[in-house]
């Protein structure tokens, strides 16, 4: 009896020691953070997608846009440029020597009509699109050098324009200046009051995409100064980062290797097969881009889309140094 009681005592001590060991091992393991919450999609959602060029909105958020629409929410896309400074693309379409300003302008109009067709393919009306017609390949110069009317506005070396066509401005007398682009965006955000804004990340390696983030952050600051109670869920997407994602042939879209998910961590929004099919159909409407780089567009039709949320940032333009070019 005594032996058996002693044996039980030894076993109990061993069990306690083992449990204590497990506890300290658990304490040493890194804490698993819960995944960041996905964007809230409901009939109250008002999604604004900011596209530096026509096609970026579908590449980055073509699935999310469908989900908002299916939930009964509203979707709008604001195109900062018409993608009319894509010399290789214009040359592919023209094939008669050096493209002239009218060829670049015509290419931009074509991309605008492709954008309307793409939005129709996603189930959206034509009034979902707002074209600001700012200069393709020129946005990053507007952050600093061409910020204010202290100097001549920026002139596109492609279209030879220094302002958008008058029927495509929201604020009177808009020219190719940074402060004018901020005002145009603030007008869009202030009137629509999106609950979600999807905009490229500042780490996107295309200067227009990087600049898009700074202009949206600046415009958002302006809106919030006037409407202090307004807040929105800002999500970042990424299109250009080294050779991502076309080097990766898996069906799921992983975040770009070497780029951290930042303050929020990466947010994966899964797409159904039907949503993928519709996303592919929307991208097919971009005939000029399919012609120039189908392989690149195809890389974004996956079983999910990836986003991240930026750390709270107060961006006030102009900056002393353009971070994008
Ligand atoms: Zn782009």
């Amino acid at each position: 009896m005594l032996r058996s009681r002693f044996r039980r005592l030894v076993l109990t001590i061993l069990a306690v020691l083992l449990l204590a060991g497990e506890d300290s091992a658990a304490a040493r393991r890194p804490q698993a953070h819960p995944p960041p919450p996905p964007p809230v999609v409901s009939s109250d959602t008002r999604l604004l997608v900011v596209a530096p060029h026509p096609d970026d909105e579908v590449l980055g958020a073509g699935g999310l846009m469908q989900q908002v629409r299916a939930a009964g929410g509203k979707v709008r896309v604001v195109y900062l440029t018409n993608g009319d400074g894509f010399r290789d693309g214009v040359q592919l379409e023209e094939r008669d020597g050096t493209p002239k300003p009218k060829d670049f302008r015509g290419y931009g109009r074509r991309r605008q009509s492709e954008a309307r067709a793409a939005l129709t393919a996603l189930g959206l009306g034509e009034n979902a699109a707002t074209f600001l017609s700012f200069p393709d390949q020129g946005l990053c110069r507007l952050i600093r050098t061409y910020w204010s009317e202290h100097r001549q506005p920026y002139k596109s070396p492609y279209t030879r324009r220094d302002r958008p066509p008058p029927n495509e401005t929201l604020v009177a007398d808009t020219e190719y200046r940074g402060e004018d682009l901020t005002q145009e965006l603030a007008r869009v955000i202030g009137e629509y009051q999106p609950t979600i804004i999807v905009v490229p990340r500042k780490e996107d390696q295309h200067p227009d995409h990087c600049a898009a983030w700074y202009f949206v952050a600046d415009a958002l600051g302006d809106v919030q100064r006037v409407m202090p109670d307004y807040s929105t869920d800002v999500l970042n997407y990424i299109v250009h980062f080294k050779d991502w994602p076309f080097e990766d042939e898996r069906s799921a879209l992983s975040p770009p290797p070497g780029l951290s998910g930042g303050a929020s961590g990466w947010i994966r929004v899964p797409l159904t097969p039907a949503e993928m099919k519709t996303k592919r159909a929307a991208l097919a409407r971009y005939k000029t881009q399919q012609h120039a780089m189908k392989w690149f567009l195809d890389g974004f039709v996956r079983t999910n889309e990836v986003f991240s949320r930026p750390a709270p940032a107060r961006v006030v333009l102009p900056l002393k140094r353009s971070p994008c070019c």
Side-chain angles (χ1 to χ4, degrees):
M1 171 68 84
L2 191 65
R3 263 188 75 187
S4 118
R5 201 178 290 162
F6 177 72
R7 198 166 152 253
R8 204 184 305 157
L9 181 65
V10 170
L11 284 173
T12 307
I13 291 169
L14 274 174
V16 167
L17 285 174
L18 270 174
L19 277 174
E22 272 187 10
D23 278 357
S24 58
R28 284 195 302 272
R29 272 197 295 274
Q31 291 282 315
H33 291 288
V40 175
V41 171
S42 74
S43 58
D44 292 330
T45 300
R46 288 188 305 280
L47 171 65
L48 178 66
V49 182
V50 179
H53 313 103
D55 74 1
D56 290 319
E57 77 291 4
V58 184
L59 295 175
L64 179 63
M65 290 159 75
Q66 294 178 61
Q67 291 171 9
V68 171
R69 190 192 160 274
K74 292 190 170 67
V75 179
R76 272 183 70 177
V77 182
V78 60
Y79 297 94
L80 305 186
T81 82
N82 298 325
D84 48 19
F86 184 14
R87 184 179 295 280
D88 289 351
V90 176
Q91 261 164 344
L92 260 180
E93 302 301 323
E94 300 304 329
R95 290 194 187 131
D96 59 349
T98 308
K100 298 172 189 59
K102 72 170 179 47
D103 300 321
F104 288 106
R105 293 179 184 197
Y107 192 75
R109 282 192 296 274
R110 234 180 122 180
R111 289 189 73 172
Q112 283 187 334
S113 63
E114 290 173 350
R116 291 193 189 93
L119 296 192
T120 304
L122 293 178
L124 304 172
E126 285 201 359
N127 58 2
T130 302
F131 296 98
L132 299 186
S133 295
F134 265 66
D136 184 16
Q137 315 286 341
L139 299 186
C140 75
R141 310 273 326 266
L142 308 187
I143 287 182
R144 193 182 73 85
T145 312
Y146 294 92
W147 171 257
S148 73
E149 57 188 8
H150 289 311
R151 62 182 294 169
Q152 294 292 310
Y154 176 83
K155 188 168 195 173
S156 165
Y158 307 102
T159 62
R160 308 304 293 167
R161 280 199 171 114
D162 66 358
R163 68 199 67 202
N167 60 340
E168 293 181 357
T169 58
L170 306 174
V171 178
D173 303 323
T174 290
E175 296 179 322
Y176 288 170
R177 294 189 169 100
E179 62 181 358
D180 290 14
L181 180 52
T182 289
Q183 278 191 36
E184 293 270 279
L185 280 169
R187 175 72 66 92
V188 171
I189 295 169
E191 285 182 358
Y192 181 50
Q193 295 185 33
T195 59
I196 305 173
I197 299 179
V198 172
V199 56
R201 251 179 89 138
K202 63 180 188 296
E203 290 86 359
D204 192 299
Q205 291 174 329
H206 191 305
D208 286 340
H209 286 229
C210 169
W213 156 251
Y214 284 94
F215 280 110
V216 166
D218 187 45
L220 197 50
D222 280 1
V223 171
Q224 285 169 332
R225 268 190 290 282
V226 180
M227 296 191 290
D229 293 336
Y230 170 67
S231 67
T232 187
D233 187 12
V234 178
L235 293 177
N236 287 141
Y237 68 102
I238 193 145
V239 171
H240 301 281
F241 194 80
K242 300 178 183 169
D243 51 9
W244 179 87
F246 48 87
E247 286 282 294
D248 182 350
E249 293 185 347
R250 286 171 292 183
S251 58
L253 183 62
S254 297
L259 184 62
S260 128
S264 66
W266 291 107
I267 301 160
R268 291 168 170 81
V269 172
L271 269 54
T272 65
E275 287 163 351
M276 287 171 64
K277 193 173 165 202
T278 302
K279 179 168 177 169
R280 194 183 296 281
L283 284 174
R285 300 296 196 279
Y286 280 110
K287 293 229 168 7
T288 54
Q289 305 313 293
Q290 292 284 349
H291 196 182
M293 48 178 188
K294 178 179 182 335
W295 53 275
F296 183 73
L297 306 186
D298 285 348
F300 288 85
V301 184
R302 310 283 185 113
T303 55
N304 65 288
E305 291 170 346
V306 290
F307 302 94
S308 59
R309 287 189 177 89
R314 185 147 164 69
V315 172
V316 180
L317 299 183
L319 300 177
K320 286 207 176 68
R321 193 181 62 81
S322 179
C324 304
C325 55

